[in-house]
Amino acid sequence: MDVSTRSENFKQRKRSVMFILTASLFFAAMAGVSAPADVPDPKIPHAAYANPALWLCRPDLKDNKCKVDLTTTVIPGDGKISIEKFVAAKDPKIDCFFVYPTVSLDPGFQSDFVPGAHEEIDDIRDQFARFGAVCRQFAPMYRQATLTALRSSAGGRQAVGERLPAGVGGYNDVLDAWNYYLSHENKGRGIVLIGHSQGAAMVTRLLANEIDGKPVQRQLVSALVIGGQVLVPEGADVGGSFKAIPLCRRDGQTGCVIAYSTYRDTNPPPPDALFGRSRNGLQVACTNPANLSSGTGEPKSYFMTKGFLNDAGGPNQPDWLTPHKDITTPFVTTPGLVTTTCTHQGEFTYLSFKVNAVPSDPRTDTLAGEVIRATGPDLRWGLHILDVDHSMGSLIDVVTKQENAYLASKRKSK
């Protein structure tokens, strides 16, 4: 049986919602698709990222996974819904480079190069496609640590085969893709790096090893390192994870990092929480994209209309409106429903998420978002599965202002 057939057979197995706890490698979803004929052997040390099959999004792709339906139902406080159409930038002047979170249910310890329809492809739709409003988009495939491997350590279905040798896959794939992008695609353009969860760990490492203090840092518009562990000295905006790249603290600031992990205001991090914990005299960074300066704001959210990427939070959100209204768009946005605040509590620093329950407001007061297990909500994860959703519009607004400032500074320097 060849690699393509094995991937097809394994990726069509029944989806599951059980997750193995780990602070560095993360999760998501479901079914799969057959491998294109030109996908390389998953065991080779270095894949050639000139190959279009190794990219989910790249401007020249015929099957660009960033070109999807992002139509959104707007649900304001008075319940009078309207439809918002997504508008892509016609001639974006900066680039976005995205590293997705753990989404692979491939059978081995590391994923192959075949994107799953409800794994990598769906994650692009939910976490990255909307950035087409402001930038050219690049999202490589990489051989990430799989959910299957995480389950194996706790008695779940055992991962098949052997682990790839050290230096094969994982971060090294991301680095190879990055180097290909810089050499063949970038042409001196400004760059926004984006990663969530496992992808955040990859982006943090890429920033530290390849950008921090190096000439390419001058091209860094910003980095969105979400659901990760960016560390800074207490009360400082630089130091710790990065020597020369500061946190973003004002609109239009460029060359900086936005980083946070989310917990509900009524369920702050428990003692065994997976995110936000201080270590080695450093605290985890929190920058609120809804208000970079004060740390408190009302984010522009883009939630999935039905359920979650990998059913991690259960099969559905509560009804968005009472009385019930059918919503047929893939996304909803709810102006003013949520407030987010950077919070420091004990050894934890995190973004606190509050649903603004108003009796006269017909919208739901009970947004779902915790990881759900057979025993109930797993509060150690906080609202990790909503990290990007709850502030997607605000992140794009921030990047738009950064783009304008970056391009203005480039014009002045000529």
Side-chain angles (χ1 to χ4, degrees):
M1 185 181 294
D2 63 18
V3 173
S4 298
T5 304
R6 288 201 306 271
S7 177
E8 173 69 14
N9 290 343
F10 280 112
K11 285 189 173 184
Q12 289 181 347
R13 291 184 175 183
K14 186 178 180 180
R15 68 178 63 172
S16 172
V17 297
M18 298 300 293
F19 295 87
I20 302 303
L21 295 175
T22 177
S24 61
L25 300 173
F26 309 104
F27 59 107
M30 313 166 252
V33 296
S34 59
D38 55 354
V39 170
D41 186 322
K43 294 183 180 180
I44 62 172
H46 294 279
Y49 277 89
N51 184 351
L54 295 184
W55 294 86
L56 295 159
C57 303
R58 203 173 76 181
D60 63 320
L61 296 183
K62 293 181 180 179
D63 183 20
N64 189 334
K65 300 303 188 296
C66 281
K67 306 299 184 184
V68 293
D69 182 11
L70 298 173
T71 307
T72 301
T73 298
V74 181
I75 311 177
D78 61 9
K80 296 178 180 179
I81 65 175
S82 60
I83 301 299
E84 175 186 289
K85 296 287 188 179
F86 174 74
V87 179
K90 292 182 178 179
D91 185 23
K93 302 301 183 184
I94 61 171
D95 295 344
C96 289
F97 186 97
F98 176 66
V99 187
Y100 50 83
T102 309
V103 293
S104 178
L105 288 174
D106 283 355
F109 291 94
Q110 287 172 283
S111 64
D112 58 24
F113 288 115
V114 182
H118 299 293
E119 299 168 55
E120 294 91 348
I121 293 172
D122 270 4
D123 186 75
I124 289 293
R125 180 199 65 178
D126 296 335
Q127 294 191 333
F128 185 52
R130 203 172 292 273
F131 282 92
V134 67
C135 56
R136 293 197 311 163
Q137 294 164 285
F138 296 83
M141 291 289 298
Y142 70 105
R143 288 168 288 187
Q144 65 172 213
T146 63
L147 181 59
T148 306
L150 301 182
R151 290 175 177 163
S152 297
S153 63
R157 177 169 62 88
Q158 295 300 297
V160 301
E162 299 179 355
R163 297 180 186 274
L164 293 179
V168 177
Y171 173 73
N172 291 282
D173 282 348
V174 174
L175 179 59
D176 286 343
W178 170 252
N179 285 332
Y180 172 83
Y181 159 76
L182 282 183
S183 297
H184 298 277
E185 299 283 355
N186 175 259
K187 305 184 189 308
R189 294 163 63 94
I191 309 161
V192 179
L193 282 163
I194 306 170
H196 179 242
S197 198
Q198 184 176 169
M202 299 293 174
V203 168
T204 300
R205 189 173 173 185
L206 190 69
L207 284 165
N209 293 350
E210 305 297 324
I211 299 172
D212 193 15
K214 294 180 169 57
V216 73
Q217 185 179 340
R218 292 192 293 269
Q219 294 174 242
L220 183 67
V221 177
S222 66
L224 315 182
V225 187
I226 302 168
Q229 299 286 338
V230 173
L231 298 169
V232 291
E234 186 173 354
D237 290 340
V238 68
S241 295
F242 311 121
K243 297 177 181 179
I245 304 175
L247 301 181
C248 299
R249 293 302 189 191
R250 66 182 186 277
D251 288 342
Q253 180 183 356
T254 62
C256 55
V257 175
I258 292 174
Y260 61 86
S261 292
T262 314
Y263 285 83
R264 196 182 297 274
D265 64 328
T266 53
N267 291 319
D272 55 352
L274 297 179
F275 308 100
R277 188 190 307 272
S278 301
R279 63 182 70 176
N280 301 323
L282 300 171
Q283 69 180 38
V284 174
C286 182
T287 52
N288 187 352
N291 191 329
L292 293 173
S293 59
S294 76
T296 297
E298 291 183 354
K300 185 174 184 180
S301 308
Y302 284 94
F303 298 113
M304 292 176 61
T305 300
K306 297 179 181 179
F308 303 89
L309 176 66
N310 54 2
D311 287 347
N316 283 298
Q317 286 278 8
D319 274 352
W320 290 104
L321 285 164
T322 301
H324 171 82
K325 289 185 180 180
D326 288 332
I327 297 174
T328 59
T329 60
F331 294 94
V332 299
T333 186
T334 53
L337 183 61
V338 172
T339 298
T340 49
T341 304
C342 281
T343 301
H344 185 74
Q345 180 174 308
E347 61 180 326
F348 292 97
T349 306
Y350 59 97
L351 192 65
S352 179
F353 173 101
K354 178 183 179 182
V355 178
N356 298 313
V358 178
S360 60
D361 188 331
R363 299 177 297 183
T364 180
D365 294 335
T366 56
L367 276 172
E370 281 82 8
V371 171
I372 302 299
R373 303 186 184 281
T375 55
D378 189 340
L379 301 182
R380 290 171 286 191
W381 287 88
L383 294 178
H384 188 68
I385 58 180
L386 293 184
D387 275 334
V388 178
D389 306 41
H390 70 58
S391 287
M392 173 64 80
S394 296
L395 289 166
I396 292 170
D397 288 346
V398 168
V399 170
T400 299
K401 293 172 183 176
Q402 291 173 326
E403 175 198 26
N404 293 337
Y406 175 83
L407 295 175
S409 69
K410 295 287 284 185
R411 288 192 293 268
K412 289 181 181 178
S413 65
K414 290 183 178 180

